[in-house]
Amino acid sequence: MKHILLLAAGSLSLAIALVLIVNESPRDDTDPFNGRSGMRLYADARTGCQYLGAPGGGITPRLDAHGKQICEGRRS
């Protein structure tokens, strides 16, 4: 009986660890509240300008509501 309880506790611990690993995927502000957008957010370290990367390749500047590229904390 003791072996069965240890096996069950080990299996439960493994299941919990797997759920935590899967749910801890990095999220960013391109994602909707209930999932992932499939896009990656990139920022230029020197300029602070943001870019969106699409699955399969390619990037494009991230634009605000006025059509201007989002650049936070521009550095010269």
Side-chain angles (χ1 to χ4, degrees):
M1 183 69 169
K2 184 177 179 182
H3 294 287
I4 293 173
L5 290 176
L6 288 174
L7 180 62
S11 297
L12 180 60
S13 296
L14 179 61
I16 290 171
L18 288 173
V19 167
L20 290 175
I21 290 169
V22 169
N23 287 330
E24 288 298 315
S25 59
R27 296 180 57 82
D28 56 47
D29 61 350
T30 66
D31 298 324
F33 74 95
N34 61 347
R36 294 295 320 263
S37 67
M39 302 182 94
R40 288 197 56 187
L41 182 60
Y42 298 96
D44 183 299
R46 189 173 70 77
T47 64
C49 293
Q50 296 182 5
Y51 300 86
L52 294 173
I59 64 170
T60 188
R62 186 175 188 201
L63 307 178
D64 65 14
H66 304 288
K68 296 191 179 203
Q69 187 173 12
I70 298 173
C71 297
E72 298 175 355
R74 284 185 181 243
R75 301 175 194 108
S76 346

